[in-house]
Amino acid sequence: MTNQPHQATRFVICINADNDTLLTPRRIYQVLPDEQAAKSNYLRVIDDEGEDYLYPASYFIFAEFAPAVEQALLQAA
């Protein structure tokens, strides 16, 4: 049995993307925890192909939603 604290699910909105990325500006993405990536100013994001990759944090802004909205976003993924 582990006693790890529950990490809240975090979401970001893409505000910028290079042409060769699998991101869509103005779309909401789920962020996966990755402390090493964060130290380098990157976020691990589930992209348009459903895969998790590292992208520059400058491509996104963090967004907070009501719990019901977060649940709906997770179910839609």
Side-chain angles (χ1 to χ4, degrees):
M1 180 175 192
T2 62
N3 290 325
Q4 292 183 335
H6 173 70
Q7 272 191 307
T9 302
R10 300 181 79 189
F11 294 96
V12 291
I13 299 172
C14 179
I15 57 170
N16 184 22
D18 288 339
N19 289 335
D20 58 344
T21 63
L22 297 170
L23 301 170
T24 304
R26 296 187 303 271
R27 185 171 177 176
I28 299 168
Y29 293 93
Q30 182 181 355
V31 178
L32 300 179
D34 189 330
E35 291 182 21
Q36 287 298 108
K39 288 178 183 175
S40 299
N41 250 357
Y42 279 79
L43 297 175
R44 183 169 298 279
V45 173
I46 300 176
D47 64 20
D48 291 346
E49 287 192 335
E51 302 291 332
D52 64 286
Y53 286 103
L54 296 177
Y55 292 100
S58 63
Y59 285 10
F60 309 95
I61 56 172
F62 279 94
E64 292 185 21
F65 299 102
V69 175
E70 289 185 0
Q71 190 63 32
L73 288 170
L74 291 172
Q75 288 176 349

